[in-house]
Amino acid sequence: MQKLAFIGFGVVGQGLAEILLKKKKELKANFGYEFSVVAVSDFNKGSALKQDGLDLSTLLELAGDNKISEYPGAEAGLNALETIRKSNADVVVEVSYTNIETGEPAHSHFKAALEAGKHLVTTNKGPTALFLRDLVALAAKNGVQLRYEGTVVAGTPVLNLNDLCLAGNEVTEIRGILNGTTNFILTNMEKGRSYENVLKEAQELGYAEAKPDADVEGWDALAKVMILAKSVMRADISVEDVDRTGITGIKLEDIEAAKKEGKRYKLIGKVTREGGGVRASVRPEKVDLTDPLASVGGATNALTFVTDLLGEVTIVGPGAGRVETGFSLLADLLTIHRTQ
Ligand code: HSE
């Protein structure tokens, strides 16, 4: 029985909770996977700790009204760090607010979980992008797993694809559409709509980050490029090493001109092996229409691995969304279940 503590219970955390609730029987029947949620702590929605398990339907209902602390018979009032340390969870699901400048407060949650000997699954890009190497070492030191599939392209399995299916290849380049909001904007601008109008729609549809600059100035894609560089290429890079340009300088005329050349603008995140290191960038590029990335429209993401044994392998799939990102956490939980 896997005991889970949720740190953060917003869209993604609730997405996982809904999947766990819906698929409880199948998960047990197909994988022998059983779980118990023993704690939840959310900065806005409250906290509840009950070592013998909380009922997920009740939790989801209370979360809707920001009243998790009113869970009957549970200990309330614990902050994230107290919850991690006090709960008997063996896996911490860290899905709190992401900060790609400092990684906090999630970075402290990560360290507390690993130091307490608890596995950590997360979709939180900030601390993963900034501190992955140290965190991997901390997990190894404490004999636990750190899994972060959902930090890049949500539940679309790019990290597992690299770690499991492409193992044995040398990956010489990774390039892709790593941000749904900007791809949605560029796709719709191609249809003649204005930048402002489409950005507003992306916000309404829930793709955009809390501060849309994170999307349109390329910061969100930069975090994912850093995670790919560190995870796939084992490179030691920092924010300043990534050559970053967002899409705010792209005008309708540029898009029209590219179209006449048989090309299409995409915000491309790229990591290329170079000498002993890597070159990394996020910038709008004119992609040839024959490139598989050119046909990926709307909020969909895609990533091409350039490998020595297989040539180019492209995976296309959702890069955001409640269930789609919630699923990445389920995939990580099942991996821990299978490999423990
Ligand atoms: N704002 C991000 C996107 C969400 O548009 O892709 C997923 O990181």
Side-chain angles (χ1 to χ4, degrees):
M1 171 82 71
Q2 216 176 51
K3 294 198 248 357
L4 312 176
F6 280 73
I7 302 303
F9 205 61
V11 172
V12 175
Q14 291 181 41
L16 172 63
E18 285 161 6
I19 297 172
L20 288 172
L21 199 55
K22 191 170 156 208
K23 294 195 177 254
K24 192 172 177 173
K25 275 200 193 117
E26 291 96 312
L27 291 170
K28 186 175 174 192
N30 297 338
F31 308 107
Y33 177 78
E34 292 181 275
F35 64 88
S36 165
V37 175
V38 296
V40 174
S41 177
D42 182 283
F43 192 71
N44 297 313
K45 298 182 189 302
S47 79
L49 170 77
K50 201 160 180 272
Q51 309 283 30
D52 60 356
L54 298 156
D55 175 69
L56 272 182
S57 308
T58 311
L59 260 182
L60 285 162
E61 251 172 58
L62 291 170
D65 298 327
N66 290 352
K67 286 183 178 163
I68 293 178
S69 303
E70 291 181 18
Y71 191 104
E75 180 174 353
L78 299 178
N79 66 26
L81 291 174
E82 289 162 344
T83 301
I84 292 167
R85 293 183 182 131
K86 200 164 177 190
S87 89
N88 62 347
D90 34 45
V91 184
V92 169
V93 179
E94 213 291 349
V95 283
S96 72
Y97 167 79
T98 201
N99 175 328
I100 52 183
E101 281 162 50
T102 66
E104 290 296 355
H107 186 212
S108 297
H109 305 160
F110 279 30
K111 287 189 291 187
L114 299 172
E115 279 161 3
K118 298 176 194 299
H119 303 294
L120 175 65
V121 300
T122 189
T123 59
N124 206 319
K125 289 164 278 192
T128 310
L130 296 170
F131 309 110
L132 183 60
R133 287 161 73 96
D134 289 347
L135 291 164
V136 166
L138 186 60
K141 187 176 156 215
N142 288 284
V144 290
Q145 297 191 34
L146 161 62
R147 308 208 69 90
Y148 48 95
E149 177 64 66
T151 56
V152 185
V153 198
T156 304
V158 297
L159 300 176
N160 284 321
L161 175 68
N162 175 71
D163 293 347
L164 298 175
C165 309
L166 296 179
N169 279 275
E170 188 194 357
V171 178
T172 51
E173 184 172 280
I174 322 164
R175 60 171 187 270
I177 297 166
L178 298 172
N179 180 269
T181 300
T182 46
N183 205 47
F184 183 78
I185 293 173
L186 292 172
T187 307
N188 279 289
M189 281 175 76
E190 209 172 305
K191 293 177 188 154
R193 291 180 58 191
S194 78
Y195 170 87
E196 291 76 15
N197 180 283
V198 191
L199 173 59
K200 194 161 167 280
E201 191 182 339
Q203 286 170 312
E204 282 162 8
L205 290 168
Y207 306 137
E209 295 294 306
K211 295 179 193 159
D213 267 13
D215 295 299
V216 297
E217 298 295 354
W219 292 108
D220 173 72
L222 178 145
K224 294 165 184 166
V225 156
M226 286 184 62
I227 295 169
L228 289 168
K230 291 182 181 190
S231 180
V232 177
M233 304 276 200
R234 309 265 175 242
D236 189 12
I237 67 166
S238 58
V239 173
E240 300 74 41
D241 297 324
V242 185
D243 175 12
R244 178 196 53 82
T245 308
I247 63 159
T248 48
I250 303 277
K251 304 277 170 278
L252 276 174
E253 305 86 86
D254 301 320
I255 287 175
E256 281 305 314
K259 221 192 243 181
K260 287 192 186 118
E261 288 174 50
K263 295 190 176 193
R264 182 168 277 160
Y265 267 106
K266 293 287 178 194
L267 184 69
I268 300 291
K270 186 152 75 182
V271 189
T272 312
R273 224 176 256 293
E274 208 176 54
V278 295
R279 190 156 36 92
S281 59
V282 172
R283 58 177 170 237
E285 292 189 18
K286 281 190 275 184
V287 176
D288 216 275
L289 291 185
T290 55
D291 187 317
L293 298 181
S295 59
V296 177
T300 303
N301 285 197
L303 196 64
T304 299
F305 290 82
V306 184
T307 71
D308 60 343
L309 303 177
L310 269 183
E312 298 201 356
V313 178
T314 300
I315 181 164
V316 180
R322 185 183 185 97
V323 174
E324 297 84 343
T325 313
F327 164 68
S328 72
L329 297 161
L330 175 66
D332 285 343
L333 292 175
L334 288 175
T335 303
I336 292 173
H337 167 67
R338 273 194 225 103
T339 53
Q340 274 313 111

